[in-house]
Amino acid sequence: MDIKQDILDKVNIWLTPAFDTATQDAVKEIMTSSPKELEECFYKNLEFGTGGMRGIMGPGTNRINKYTLGKATQGLSDYLKTSFPGEELKVAIAYDCRHNSDTLAKVVADVFSANGIKVYLFSELRPTPELSFAVRHLNCHAGIVLTASHNPPEYNGYKVYWQDGGQLVPPQDKELIDVIEAIDYNQINFQPNENLIEYISNDIDTAFIRSSLQAATFNTAQEAKDELKVVFTPLHGTSVTLIPDLLEDAGYSNIHIVSDQAKPDGNFPTVKSPNPEEPEALSMAIALADEIGADIVVGTDPDSDRLGVAVRNGNGIMTLLNGNQTMVLMTHFLLEQWKQKGLFKGNEFIASTIVSTPMIMELASAYNVGFKVGLTGFKWIAKMIKDFPNEKFIGGGEESFGYMVGDEVRDKDAVTSTLLLCEMAAQAKSKGSSLYQEMLKLYEQYGFYKEYLISLTKKGIDGAAEIQQMMLDLRNNPLKEINGESVVMVEDYKASTALNMFTNEVEELTLPKSDVLIYYLADGTKICARPSGTEPKIKFYFSVNEPLDSINNFKEVEASLDAKIKNIIEEMNLI
């Protein structure tokens, strides 16, 4: 195939002395062996999405490597100096279990130190939420974590945190990107000042564990803790460095770790995907739970910001909860605890995202607390905490298996959330109930909300174009009726408009622009379409609901909701 001139221009830059010999040789090899791969490596620059900058490792502008991360770090160094003139700048850096994460973290540390910036670098792999905590604990101006979350083994990534411990949000992310794009590769200073690099470990662990204990323990009786039998798997990731110690300090001794998944390993050898959203990822943990009669299974992704949960249903069978269910359960528990302790002052709020279950709003209304909604990604929840300093954040989450307890960590936090779930499960069991039974009670009280997600993978240049066309078709030809129900409202977050399909009146949406469409139907159904910001996927989110007058009718109502979702998916030609 012919290689486009603009790609060749980029390639030729990577064959100059600004790049080391190994990199130049790798580029030449790809030029010879696979022009198509060369195009994939160079057709664009890696972009900041909902979870930072993430991509396949290898040479090229569209890959994670020493130079793309070096350029980002040089740009961030320059941006920090402009943002905090005259201050002694400090950053914290953590990394996960992925291939090259440790060496790439040192590259990032070198560039910061070369620019006169003090670096606190974790001496070994650590969970992402601990990095968010460390930024504030050490009074840093920014933080970096090297991770690609639950992506396949060939991926890595670069998340940027600001001094509040949250990820970058507009306008800072755009300002930073502009600075990075203006930098030439030969301007990157890779020569470290080792005197400015300080390695950190146990002291931060101790402080983080203390913070988690304070946020997620609620006077659970020791007998209840002893009776709870937990299976835990880190899925070869970083959470094994903290969660066992945290649970032990909290008084939970009946913890059983999946031994074959306990060792950090960037190959993730026992799972197809180290993603707790995927049922297969927790299959070994569930097998162990059945073997030993455990009450609950918790599994975390490689950087320990997401968690998957399985509990026993009414028939004693281990059942996976989805992210919306765990979010609702945890939020309700926190609200009830705050109520019982008389902690409500009238300025509290909970939070979620536009693609998550509407059931969370029912909880806010029932407990008379504020509810804030943001775009996908916990950086928006962190921004709420920063933007409303006189309000108190209780907890919040999103459908993609993330949750945040309190405001000491400003990102989704599977470490503290695991402890919270153990507290919830232990207290429920001590009362003759279970998390599954508690969930059914919530459906009976607030309505049965059932959610479902379809995620379509579309890789490479052609895939990106296909995703773009799908969104364009949904915008230009909005559906007026779905499954026999009228579409009453279409929200287009890219255009910042909400169109009333009956009156044709248009209202302005106040959230930042994002490539998301949401359809609302007359019966309360909600359908969202959204390209992923971190993966080559387009996602469709479905939420349907019906009243549940009695727990005894759960199966019947669930079957009705499942059928409704199935009909909608078929009508939209998504399967």
Side-chain angles (χ1 to χ4, degrees), residues 63-138:
R63 294 290 186 259
I64 293 289
N65 52 64
K66 169 183 177 181
Y67 296 97
T68 52
L69 296 192
K71 184 176 180 180
T73 306
Q74 183 64 54
L76 179 54
S77 298
D78 295 344
Y79 185 67
L80 285 168
K81 291 176 181 179
T82 301
S83 301
F84 304 99
E87 295 190 29
E88 183 181 346
L89 298 173
K90 298 183 290 185
V91 300
I93 302 173
Y95 59 91
D96 70 2
C97 60
R98 288 181 174 272
H99 300 304
N100 303 316
S101 280
D102 54 349
T103 56
L104 289 171
K106 183 57 167 66
V107 167
V108 171
D110 288 349
V111 175
F112 277 131
S113 68
N115 283 274
I117 297 172
K118 170 73 175 179
V119 177
Y120 296 100
L121 174 62
F122 276 96
S123 57
E124 295 178 300
L125 75 172
R126 286 295 188 277
T128 288
E130 187 171 6
L131 183 279
S132 173
F133 173 84
V135 168
R136 298 178 69 237
H137 184 75
L138 296 169

Side-chain angles (χ1 to χ4, degrees), residues 153-273:
E154 63 269 24
Y155 280 74
N156 215 318
Y158 180 92
K159 286 185 178 180
V160 180
Y161 293 78
W162 207 237
Q163 63 182 153
D164 67 321
Q167 292 185 53
L168 281 183
V169 294
Q172 290 174 315
D173 54 357
K174 179 63 165 62
E175 292 170 355
L176 174 58
I177 290 169
D178 289 343
V179 174
I180 293 170
E181 291 300 317
I183 291 173
D184 292 329
Y185 287 102
N186 57 18
Q187 294 177 296
I188 305 169
N189 189 345
F190 286 109
Q191 301 303 315
N193 179 348
E194 297 290 351
N195 293 327
L196 290 177
I197 301 176
E198 179 179 338
Y199 290 89
I200 56 175
S201 58
N202 293 340
D203 288 347
I204 304 301
D205 295 343
T206 301
F208 181 52
I209 287 174
R210 188 185 310 119
S211 172
S212 294
L213 288 169
Q214 185 173 355
T217 51
F218 293 93
N219 299 320
T220 304
Q222 186 58 51
E223 182 181 356
K225 295 178 182 180
D226 293 339
E227 286 296 316
L228 185 71
K229 188 175 287 189
V230 181
V231 167
F232 163 65
T233 174
L235 295 178
H236 305 287
T238 61
S239 64
V240 74
T241 65
L242 275 186
I243 286 180
D245 290 341
L246 172 63
L247 294 181
E248 181 181 356
D249 287 357
Y252 291 91
S253 57
N254 209 346
I255 310 298
H256 303 264
I257 302 176
V258 179
S259 58
D260 288 345
Q261 297 177 329
K263 183 179 179 181
D265 187 339
N267 289 319
F268 313 114
T270 65
V271 291
K272 293 179 181 177
S273 169

Side-chain angles (χ1 to χ4, degrees), residues 12-24:
N12 287 332
I13 293 173
W14 283 62
L15 297 177
T16 65
F19 298 84
D20 59 36
T21 302
T23 298
Q24 294 183 50

